[in-house]
Amino acid sequence: MGKVHPQALVSSDPCYLSSKQESFTVWMKSLVLIGKGCTVFDSDGHVVYRVDNYDSKSSHEVHLMDFEGKVLYTILRKKLKLLGFWEGYRCDGSEIDKTKPSFRVRKTLRLLRGDAPCNITVGLDKNQPCQYKIESWTSKSTYKIVDKCGALIAEVQRKQSACGVVLGEDVMTLVVEPFIDHSLIMGLLVGYSLINSKM
């Protein structure tokens, strides 16, 4: 009997960059029934990333993992007087260095109605960090990540089936541009979801 998605051999050292545009399916549900989180599938239907948040009420620490459960980023909630933000720390198998975040996601303060964009700073441990912005449209399940010049880095929108049926708001398609670290983009997506209380 054939499998729907036959298991291919997977390298023990996964590469998070590609020379071509990559598409992922993001399901905003945890594989663990009692927790919140998300599960990410590649275009072949294999689980590539997951987030399991067992403390479903306002967790302050979330882990982005690969398909084997290896933590790639630890994302911590930080609080200011009015607004909070989330910082992501790259994990290399040992303890994380909480003095050197890899990225920060925060909402910009907007006094008028409407969705406020999120500002992202990547490479906080370097002298010249990259600046990205998450631009949201009317729906929080449709947005794009752009660099400071407005060039598209990644885009998220509700998933459509092959016959054109739009799936629920908890199933999205993530398209990442070439030569962009998709594990970093997933970390940013998790931070954005946490800010908007979707996880």
Side-chain angles (χ1 to χ4, degrees):
M1 182 173 187
K3 294 182 180 178
V4 175
H5 292 290
Q7 293 291 339
L9 293 177
V10 180
S11 168
S12 62
D13 186 26
C15 179
Y16 301 113
L17 295 174
S18 175
S19 61
K20 61 183 170 74
Q21 189 180 63
E22 290 208 46
S23 179
F24 301 92
T25 298
V26 180
W27 184 37
M28 297 303 290
K29 300 282 183 191
S30 171
L31 292 176
V32 179
L33 296 177
I34 60 168
K36 288 188 172 187
C38 72
T39 308
V40 182
F41 303 88
D42 65 11
S43 57
D44 295 325
H46 298 109
V47 173
V48 287
Y49 301 109
R50 62 189 180 95
V51 174
D52 295 316
N53 181 3
Y54 304 106
D55 181 16
S56 59
K57 296 260 184 180
S58 67
S59 178
H60 297 288
E61 183 173 326
V62 175
H63 304 283
L64 172 65
M65 298 173 276
D66 68 5
F67 68 97
E68 294 178 326
K70 176 186 170 200
V71 176
L72 302 174
Y73 283 97
T74 295
I75 304 167
L76 302 174
R77 182 180 197 169
K78 305 289 182 170
K79 290 190 177 186
L80 293 175
K81 290 182 181 178
L82 293 175
L83 296 173
F85 58 91
W86 291 83
E87 286 184 337
Y89 300 84
R90 171 83 69 183
C91 298
D92 59 1
S94 62
E95 230 173 81
I96 63 167
D97 182 359
K98 292 187 179 178
T99 63
K100 294 184 179 181
S102 298
F103 65 85
R104 176 179 297 137
V105 179
R106 67 176 175 83
K107 256 189 181 173
T108 56
L109 186 59
R110 181 179 279 187
L111 298 176
L112 300 175
R113 294 181 55 131
D115 287 339
C118 283
N119 286 332
I120 302 168
T121 306
V122 177
L124 292 170
D125 56 343
K126 298 178 182 165
N127 292 332
Q128 295 186 354
C130 298
Q131 296 288 321
Y132 294 150
K133 183 172 24 173
I134 295 180
E135 296 177 345
S136 179
W137 287 283
T138 56
S139 166
K140 288 187 176 168
S141 60
T142 303
Y143 50 92
K144 61 184 178 177
I145 301 173
V146 296
D147 66 13
K148 65 181 177 181
C149 298
L152 184 67
I153 302 299
E155 188 169 16
V156 175
Q157 51 191 307
R158 284 179 64 182
K159 185 163 182 83
Q160 288 188 359
S161 69
C163 57
V165 175
V166 178
L167 302 178
E169 287 192 22
D170 62 343
V171 183
M172 300 174 289
T173 298
L174 166 66
V175 178
V176 180
E177 294 302 310
F179 304 107
I180 302 293
D181 180 352
H182 44 82
S183 68
L184 171 65
I185 297 301
M186 274 309 305
L188 301 178
L189 187 145
V190 170
Y192 181 72
S193 297
L194 290 164
I195 282 176
N196 289 299
S197 303
K198 294 191 88 168
M199 195 176 299

